[in-house]
């Protein structure tokens, strides 16, 4: 969060778990997409919460970000405001890329 604030950059927060099959689709078909990966790397500070172990810290982060369902992907603008959320159904890479382009 400090990096995003210092850079005045948007953020992506990704909640996932090893046992979550749709989370794997985000990893292999959305985030690994060449255009999506380039757009994320160019502008966004990324934060991933792996909640596989279901620790108290995991639950607290999920509660704070209202991310009880997996997967949950949240786009924050450069001021730290959540402006878009994704889960299921999983968007296409092009749909996700358009959403990234709309974030300030």
């Amino acid at each position: 969060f400090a990096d995003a604030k210092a850079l005045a950059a948007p953020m992506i927060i990704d909640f996932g778990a090893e046992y979550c099959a749709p989370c794997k689709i985000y990893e292999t078909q959305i985030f690994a997409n060449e255009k999506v990966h380039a757009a994320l790397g160019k502008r966004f500070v990324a934060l991933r919460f792996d909640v596989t172990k279901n620790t108290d810290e995991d639950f607290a982060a999920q509660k704070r970000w209202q991310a009880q369902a997996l997967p949950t992907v949240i786009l924050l603008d450069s001021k730290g405001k959540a402006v878009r959320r994704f889960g299921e159904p999983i968007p296409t890479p092009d749909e996700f890329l358009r959403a990234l382009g709309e974030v300030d």
Side-chain angles (χ1 to χ4, degrees):
F1 292 103
D3 289 346
K5 186 174 182 178
L7 297 169
M11 282 188 72
I12 180 171
I13 303 174
D14 172 29
F15 283 88
E18 289 297 318
Y19 55 81
C20 172
C23 299
K24 301 290 185 206
I25 295 171
Y26 271 95
E27 291 174 19
T28 61
Q29 295 180 20
I30 305 300
F31 301 142
N33 175 279
E34 187 176 308
K35 291 178 182 177
V36 171
H37 186 75
L40 286 170
K42 185 176 180 180
R43 295 183 48 226
F44 285 77
V45 173
L47 176 61
R48 182 166 196 288
F49 286 99
D50 180 349
V51 297
T52 301
K53 295 181 181 178
N54 294 316
T55 65
D56 290 341
E57 292 83 11
D58 294 342
F59 287 122
Q62 285 179 282
K63 183 177 179 180
R64 175 178 182 215
W65 290 102
Q66 298 173 359
Q68 285 77 18
L70 297 178
T72 296
V73 177
I74 306 166
L75 301 180
L76 281 65
D77 67 14
S78 58
K79 294 178 176 128
K81 179 183 175 193
V83 294
R84 193 77 191 267
R85 298 174 76 83
F86 292 93
E88 289 192 275
I90 297 169
T92 66
D94 286 339
E95 291 169 334
F96 196 80
L97 192 59
R98 276 193 299 278
L100 293 178
E102 294 170 0
V103 177
D104 297 348

